[in-house]
Amino acid sequence: MCWKAKLSYIALCAVALTACKNDDPEVDSNIPPFSNAEYAVYMAFTYDSIPSATAKSIQCSGIWSNGANDSDLPSVRKLSPGRDEGVQVCDICVGPDNILYAAGYFGKAALYWQGDKEVELPEGLAATGIGVAPDGTVYTCGFEKEGSIETAKMWVGTTPTLLKNGTRANKLCLYNNKCYIAGYGNNPENYAEEARIWIDGQSYNKLSQDKESIDNTAIANDIIANEHGWWCVGRERSSVVGFLPKVWINRSNNNLIREGAATSLNCVDYENDIYYIAGNDGNHAKYWSARQKSEKENRIVDCVEFDLSDGSTFATVEDIDVINGIVACCGYVRSNVNSYIPKLWINGKEIPLGEKLNKYSNVLPCAVVIVRR
């Protein structure tokens, strides 16, 4: 019997309400220093292109990266130069060849980029998650659309696989020669969204929720796996409290205590027995560090909360990446006039993005990766 099948009913359905203590990343002496000379940071973003005063804006994509020295200015480049209008990026990673990979779409075609090389993925409308195995095999996930029907997909190289009972696949991670995918499917009885995961393209039942209700839809946004199993994060709608920030640990249901109604967990990473979760709690962009209670107890312990914004207007973290204890988060703050202000935080400190992004409209960061140079 596989280890997944041995989980008890209690482990599948129990709900833990986890409180996190507040901390200030800027004064945490355990966080190692970050330097541009030692680490390269890549941030994918979308922006609005307005061809003329009367034309409708078109979303485009770019990649921001830091300079190799403190005196160097950050650089910005477009994906698919010369055909950038309408190109969308959703996720990025750095492969074992130290080349930047990106997943996204153009028009009605799912794509991934290996550096500047563009690869079209058959039977797909959009690629939303990407990872590269040690042998160089590229894994992507996303969805296709026929009429009004969406279907979750994964690709190994360019070979498509339909993800059973799936509507959209959001993000993936690779561990121990397996591909873990987070997303959601629709309940065929009431069409409510149900959070789901897939491992190597195989269907798993929906992730446990707090109650069965058409108002209680749930989405899994991201997943990370290691020798202890996997953590998946997302959110669940509740007619009582708005949204519940969800952490599923090996399918066990955990809720973080939240203060704001518009609360979501968007991303997760792992290093040295510490899990890093990010998103927003109400108007505040935040990330959390936490541990798993034990290999047999799928519960959050030692949870610490790091606030990245002042809460005066809505802000969120869209992606998080960790290396050697250095935490990189990207996201945005919504201005008082309802435009977007892009943000990159490293170790809780806001990093200047330079003047080049100022010429773009409504810049929305969507993915970040940090690697040793």
Side-chain angles (χ1 to χ4, degrees):
M1 179 181 294
C2 73
W3 69 272
K4 291 285 184 184
K6 295 180 181 178
L7 293 173
S8 68
Y9 178 82
I10 293 176
L12 290 175
C13 300
V15 177
L17 195 61
T18 303
C20 297
K21 65 180 180 179
N22 293 315
D23 208 341
D24 185 349
E26 296 187 41
V27 298
D28 189 340
S29 60
N30 295 320
I31 295 178
F34 166 81
S35 72
N36 289 314
E38 189 173 0
Y39 296 98
V41 182
Y42 302 94
M43 184 181 74
F45 63 92
T46 62
Y47 64 96
D48 288 347
S49 171
I50 305 176
S52 68
T54 58
K56 183 179 179 181
S57 64
I58 302 171
Q59 279 201 313
C60 305
S61 297
I63 304 293
W64 177 97
S65 58
N66 62 325
N69 298 290
D70 291 340
S71 59
D72 294 341
L73 295 176
S75 65
V76 175
R77 70 176 179 88
K78 298 178 180 180
L79 286 173
S80 299
R83 197 193 71 174
D84 56 294
E85 289 189 348
V87 172
Q88 296 288 285
V89 64
C90 301
D91 195 21
I92 56 174
C93 71
V94 173
D97 50 9
N98 290 324
I99 293 176
L100 185 71
Y101 291 75
Y105 60 94
F106 175 77
K108 296 183 178 180
L111 304 172
Y112 80 79
W113 291 264
Q114 180 181 355
D116 292 327
K117 178 185 176 182
E118 184 181 295
V119 179
E120 184 170 336
L121 298 167
E123 302 177 20
L125 178 65
T128 54
I130 191 166
V132 184
D135 65 359
T137 302
V138 180
Y139 290 77
T140 47
C141 68
F143 63 97
E144 67 173 335
K145 189 172 183 178
E146 293 288 340
S148 62
I149 305 299
E150 295 180 347
T151 306
K153 303 294 285 284
M154 69 169 287
W155 293 265
V156 180
T158 57
T159 302
T161 297
L162 185 147
L163 299 177
K164 187 178 179 182
N165 298 325
T167 301
R168 287 198 181 191
N170 288 326
K171 288 293 185 295
L172 64 82
C173 78
L174 303 173
Y175 175 73
N176 199 21
N177 298 317
K178 290 186 177 181
C179 180
Y180 297 76
I181 296 175
Y184 65 92
N186 287 333
N187 185 315
E189 296 182 0
N190 56 22
Y191 300 103
E193 295 165 346
E194 298 176 336
R196 301 183 186 277
I197 73 158
W198 297 265
I199 300 178
D200 280 346
Q202 300 301 307
S203 175
Y204 278 70
N205 293 330
K206 71 171 186 176
L207 300 177
S208 56
Q209 297 175 214
D210 289 338
K211 64 180 182 178
E212 296 295 332
S213 169
I214 192 170
D215 295 324
N216 215 44
T217 62
I219 293 175
N221 288 323
D222 199 5
I223 190 168
I224 195 73
N226 54 49
E227 65 273 18
H228 306 300
W230 50 265
W231 282 40
C232 186
V233 300
R235 69 180 187 177
E236 178 183 345
R237 182 183 293 276
S238 169
S239 58
V240 178
V241 295
F243 287 103
L244 297 171
K246 308 295 291 189
V247 182
W248 293 277
I249 304 175
N250 298 322
R251 294 179 68 186
S252 292
N253 187 4
N254 290 258
N255 292 330
L256 290 183
I257 290 180
R258 26 76 73 204
E259 298 178 358
T263 301
S264 178
L265 302 180
N266 299 327
C267 45
V268 60
D269 203 4
Y270 170 84
E271 186 182 63
N272 296 332
D273 292 329
I274 300 177
Y275 295 85
Y276 298 85
I277 304 161
N280 66 281
D281 184 0
N283 280 350
H284 289 260
K286 292 185 178 183
Y287 80 87
W288 297 260
S289 66
R291 298 179 186 269
Q292 185 170 328
K293 187 171 184 179
S294 71
E295 289 190 8
K296 294 183 179 180
E297 295 180 272
N298 299 319
R299 292 289 171 258
I300 297 173
V301 295
D302 300 332
C303 187
V304 181
E305 175 185 285
F306 301 94
D307 202 341
L308 300 175
S309 66
D310 62 14
S312 60
T313 184
F314 178 80
T316 191
V317 176
E318 292 290 341
D319 197 21
I320 189 169
D321 197 33
V322 183
I323 181 173
N324 297 332
I326 297 173
V327 182
C329 296
C330 74
Y332 63 89
V333 173
R334 187 178 295 156
S335 74
N336 292 328
V337 295
N338 220 29
S339 61
Y340 299 103
I341 304 170
K343 298 291 182 179
L344 172 67
W345 300 274
I346 296 180
N347 293 343
K349 180 181 179 181
E350 185 176 332
I351 303 299
L353 298 176
E355 296 296 323
K356 288 188 176 181
L357 287 184
N358 290 342
K359 66 181 181 179
Y360 299 126
S361 175
N362 280 335
V363 175
L364 286 171
C366 59
V368 65
V369 62
I370 178 171
V371 294
R372 190 182 290 275
R373 292 192 188 275

